[in-house]
Amino acid sequence: TDPSVIRNFCIVAHIDHGKSTLADRMLQNTNVVASRDMQNQFLDSMDIERERGITIKSQAVRMPWQVDGQDYILNMIDTPGHVDFAYEVSRSLAACEGAILLVDAAQGIEAQTLANLYMAMEHDLEIIPVLNKIDLPAADPERYALEISNLIGVDPDDVLKVSGKTGEGVEALLDRVVSVVPAPSGTVDAPARAMIFDSIYDTYRGVITYVRMVDGKLSPREGIRMMATGAEYELQETGVYSPDAIPGKGLGVGEVGYLITGVKDVSESKVGDTVTTKNHPAEEAIGGYSEPQPMVFSGLYPIDGSDYPALREALEKLQLNDAALSYEPETSVALGFGFRVGFLGLLHLEIVRERLEREYNLDLISTAPNVIYNVTTEDGTVVRVTNPSEFPEGKIMEVEEPMAMATIIVPSEFIGAVMELSQSKRGQLDGMDYLSEERVEIRYWIPLAEIVFDYFDLLKSRTKGYASLNWQRDGSQVADLVKVDILLQGDTVDAFSAITHRDHAYSYGVKMTSKLKELIPRQQFEVPIQAAIGSRIIARENIRAIRKDVLSKCYGGDISRKRKLLEKQKEGKKRMKMVGTVEVPQEAFIAALSTD
Ligand code: GDP
Ligand code: MG
């Protein structure tokens, strides 16, 4: 294909501002999907994406479009909107020359609108500002066109107004894409270079790699090389999606399509890597490649210990399709055999856990998530801690925690509430900018550990749901962090150890000891439950002793009933975990970890 008729663009927006719905309308308007075959969020192929209404993986689809009798090829890349998947958004943007910046006409600019806009600007994309949902009675396009015009310096009249729901304005938007998005530039006779912006695992075909061709050409049967890993494969098939896969004779400059090599593991086809040919390899890879970094770690354990092999197998399979997922085995006194799993964020954790439970039929318990700390001991050794149990014993010189820059957008009446919350979460004000008279952008430098857990929930409840939040990793700081252990009869229960700021250690200790007092049944002896920092006890409860004699409950001589009770007691014993000399039903651990 002649690159001059190609337009590669993506749609970026705050979550729920209507990207996927607009993409649906474009597929219909260009006759790529017939109206009768249309289902909502056509491109969100995973069940979990449809149910939650969010896009997890990127998708690309080719659409024909005619302007003034000239045929064009539009490649639309739908991107994931959530901050956990920001790296994938960034790679999708790198595959485009233009971006539709979509803003809900009843909401205005939100935190991820800004984050996505800045990312698109970093990639030098031509930006097409668009207000969506103009069919809504609450829509106020004039007001928000002004907000956008203040932000990016366009004339408010140049902000297109569309409705992904009714289709109004969508054809004009496609025309605009053709007229303002630059055609791809690349060298036709240079060695081939294609950037991987996504790779998915398909049960039948193995890994399907989505690429944007930059230079040269890739053809089926050709030997290819992944430049970051050096791995070489034979290309079995190339093609484009429109919307189903259409195999072709190869991909040339500016084209967006897929490659199939028969590999079985997405980590061999890394997002951001450059594909070249074996015989005429390019010298330089396309820039911007980096490995996804896990930010949050949590222990995942099967509730039924005999499911451990099934969990391992499920994680292996899931990893085939999720290169950002990392795990290693760990054991816990309280929970038995499980895995320490690294995630991009809490949404990623939730999705992985949900997929494991749903697609692999596992019942799981996850331990309280934590971030990565660097702990320096007295002799100067630095230990990377992803699990409280790795926290070094003895004297600690310093603990370094990861930080994030949070961007919050709220109506100005909530500035006080946002500041109060952020300060209580150890945040430092970085700056504040007004988007309009009544809406403001506030930036806080804040510990990642504080922001990934309940910050957003608290923020929403304290701003009546009006706040939006985005954050990105930003440096680290030394802080007064300690490990709090929970002890039963003097023995540490590993699953409950936590790393917290010293100011919050006491309240954590009190919360956990009183929770466990409720949950652990009385034993034949008194059991102290303590919270401790090192050897210093900071909170304490007692479970009083009881003589537990089940049989005394059976008056008279019903033997079979007695036997049944004995059986039951034995059955119950199997699910007991021993912590030192204390017998604890596993349910107690699970309840203590899951309720809050
Ligand atoms: P995404 O998260 O940006 O992909 O947003 P979706 O496309 O999933 O849309 C979020 C919600 O807004 C869904 O409930 C859509 O039905 C609704 N929606 C999207 N576009 C429009 C529109 O133009 N008008 C109205 N009234 N609702 C819309
Ligand atoms: Mg979506």
Side-chain angles (χ1 to χ4, degrees):
T1 319
D2 177 1
S4 71
V5 300
I6 299 176
R7 300 290 182 274
N8 296 321
F9 72 99
C10 54
I11 309 175
V12 295
H14 189 73
I15 195 146
D16 280 347
H17 280 200
K19 278 192 316 280
S20 301
T21 309
L22 178 63
D24 288 349
R25 285 301 81 68
M26 289 183 167
L27 294 176
Q28 257 176 322
N29 272 301
T30 56
N31 295 317
V32 166
V33 180
S35 298
R36 67 180 134 72
D37 296 329
M38 199 68 216
Q39 55 182 135
N40 287 345
Q41 300 185 340
F42 191 88
L43 296 175
D44 293 345
S45 52
M46 274 194 260
D47 279 354
I48 200 164
E49 291 185 312
R50 284 229 173 84
E51 274 169 35
R52 287 182 170 234
I54 54 170
T55 308
I56 298 167
K57 304 296 280 183
S58 314
Q59 291 281 351
V61 58
R62 174 193 275 232
M63 305 180 292
W65 190 243
Q66 225 182 33
V67 180
D68 298 334
Q70 168 70 50
D71 289 317
Y72 292 90
I73 288 171
L74 309 183
N75 289 309
M76 172 174 59
I77 298 177
D78 188 21
T79 56
H82 192 276
V83 46
D84 280 15
F85 306 101
Y87 178 68
E88 293 198 12
V89 179
S90 152
R91 294 297 82 201
S92 301
L93 296 186
C96 301
E97 278 79 25
I100 293 175
L101 182 73
L102 197 66
V103 176
D104 187 323
Q107 305 267 323
I109 291 164
E110 298 288 6
Q112 284 151 39
T113 317
L114 289 184
N116 285 316
L117 168 67
Y118 297 150
M119 240 197 270
M121 284 164 58
E122 273 167 35
H123 286 99
D124 276 331
L125 302 192
E126 185 66 36
I127 290 163
I128 304 176
V130 177
L131 283 163
N132 187 32
K133 308 196 190 183
I134 53 168
D135 61 288
L136 284 176
D140 193 348
E142 305 312 319
R143 173 174 167 202
Y144 293 117
L146 220 57
E147 229 182 56
I148 293 175
S149 121
N150 287 340
L151 182 69
I152 58 177
V154 293
D155 191 309
D157 293 333
D158 284 342
V159 179
L160 289 178
K161 299 173 182 71
V162 308
S163 164
K165 186 172 170 189
T166 66
E168 189 182 343
V170 173
E171 298 198 350
L173 174 55
L174 292 168
D175 289 347
R176 179 75 66 97
V177 168
V178 168
S179 66
V180 308
V181 175
S185 59
T187 315
V188 177
D189 47 16
R193 291 201 302 170
M195 190 201 62
I196 302 178
F197 63 89
D198 201 4
S199 57
I200 60 161
Y201 176 75
D202 179 279
T203 331
Y204 302 105
R205 318 263 358 230
V207 173
I208 301 175
T209 303
Y210 290 51
V211 295
R212 151 73 198 261
M213 287 303 299
V214 175
D215 296 317
K217 187 172 194 269
L218 287 174
S219 314
R221 310 241 97 89
E222 212 168 4
I224 57 164
R225 176 183 300 163
M226 307 295 186
M227 293 185 76
T229 62
E232 296 183 343
Y233 310 98
E234 191 193 81
L235 208 47
Q236 293 176 356
E237 183 179 314
T238 66
V240 298
Y241 284 98
S242 192
D244 299 316
I246 305 171
K249 293 204 178 90
L251 295 171
V253 169
E255 288 194 287
V256 174
Y258 68 88
L259 311 175
I260 292 176
T261 58
V263 299
K264 287 277 180 253
D265 183 347
V266 289
S267 66
E268 294 177 46
S269 202
K270 291 178 191 288
V271 171
D273 198 357
T274 302
V275 185
T276 189
T277 57
K278 207 156 90 180
N279 291 336
H280 298 284
E283 297 203 339
E284 236 180 285
I286 301 155
Y289 170 72
S290 65
E291 295 267 348
Q293 297 298 328
M295 303 267 181
V296 177
F297 289 79
S298 167
L300 280 186
Y301 291 83
I303 285 181
D304 180 348
S306 66
D307 278 342
Y308 176 75
L311 175 58
R312 185 180 51 214
E313 211 169 292
L315 281 168
E316 266 167 28
K317 285 214 183 108
L318 218 52
Q319 201 180 36
L320 291 180
N321 200 9
D322 185 350
L325 185 68
S326 61
Y327 62 91
E328 53 188 53
E330 76 172 8
T331 50
S332 148
V333 176
L335 303 169
F337 291 101
F339 294 92
R340 194 80 196 158
V341 189
F343 303 96
L344 298 173
L346 282 197
L347 179 69
H348 189 209
L349 186 163
E350 257 177 62
I351 287 169
V352 167
R353 184 173 164 180
E354 203 171 312
R355 290 187 68 186
L356 288 169
E357 299 200 310
R358 192 191 301 198
E359 293 167 28
Y360 299 91
N361 214 359
L362 293 162
D363 285 320
L364 300 174
I365 178 83
S366 51
T367 61
N370 64 269
V371 299
I372 305 172
Y373 299 96
N374 287 321
V375 182
T376 311
T377 58
E378 208 171 10
D379 63 6
T381 325
V382 179
V383 186
R384 182 176 179 269
V385 173
T386 60
N387 182 343
S389 70
E390 297 162 348
F391 202 87
E393 305 287 329
K395 197 164 153 61
I396 302 296
M397 296 308 286
E398 80 181 23
V399 183
E400 204 181 61
E401 64 176 337
M403 298 293 286
M405 186 60 78
T407 303
I408 301 125
I409 292 182
V410 278
S412 42
E413 69 210 81
F414 296 112
I415 292 175
V418 171
M419 292 181 113
E420 201 182 310
L421 171 67
S422 305
Q423 259 134 34
S424 78
K425 294 290 186 187
R426 303 190 284 127
Q428 288 168 37
L429 184 64
D430 175 72
M432 202 149 75
D433 288 305
Y434 279 83
L435 293 171
S436 64
E437 269 168 32
E438 65 278 3
R439 297 207 322 137
V440 62
E441 174 198 347
I442 309 172
R443 290 180 304 278
Y444 265 92
W445 198 56
I446 193 166
L448 184 62
E450 302 283 356
I451 211 163
V452 289
F453 305 130
D454 57 354
Y455 181 84
F456 189 42
D457 289 337
L458 293 170
L459 184 68
K460 273 192 300 193
S461 69
R462 291 192 192 182
T463 60
K464 305 201 176 113
Y466 279 112
S468 63
L469 168 73
N470 192 72
W471 56 265
Q472 61 192 88
R473 271 285 279 117
D474 185 18
S476 51
Q477 75 171 10
V478 171
D480 191 6
L481 300 166
V482 293
K483 181 172 82 147
V484 183
D485 288 318
I486 305 297
L487 298 88
L488 273 187
Q489 184 93 341
D491 289 304
T492 303
V493 189
D494 51 8
F496 296 128
S497 296
I499 296 167
T500 71
H501 193 268
R502 194 181 295 276
D503 293 349
H504 302 157
Y506 175 73
S507 65
Y508 179 77
V510 168
K511 188 179 85 186
M512 290 313 288
T513 49
S514 51
K515 222 188 229 179
L516 286 173
K517 185 187 175 181
E518 297 291 308
L519 293 167
I520 296 176
R522 292 181 176 186
Q523 314 273 318
Q524 316 218 343
F525 43 85
E526 191 177 85
V527 178
I529 311 173
Q530 297 160 311
I533 300 173
S535 56
R536 196 164 62 83
I537 305 300
I538 56 169
R540 180 188 170 114
E541 294 277 358
N542 266 325
I543 305 175
R544 274 185 295 129
I546 190 183
R547 202 173 156 69
K548 162 171 91 169
D549 187 352
V550 182
L551 294 183
S552 67
K553 284 194 198 122
C554 311
Y555 315 107
D558 184 345
I559 295 293
S560 74
R561 192 161 165 226
K562 273 188 188 169
R563 191 172 295 130
K564 248 191 214 145
L565 270 169
L566 282 169
E567 289 287 307
K568 238 181 148 183
Q569 205 181 26
K570 228 165 69 192
E571 187 67 18
K573 276 240 165 62
K574 272 198 270 171
R575 314 209 55 169
M576 294 286 185
K577 302 272 176 175
M578 294 299 291
V579 177
T581 50
V582 185
E583 271 186 343
V584 183
Q586 196 188 9
E587 286 69 36
F589 289 129
I590 294 169
L593 279 171
S594 42
T595 57
D596 219 304

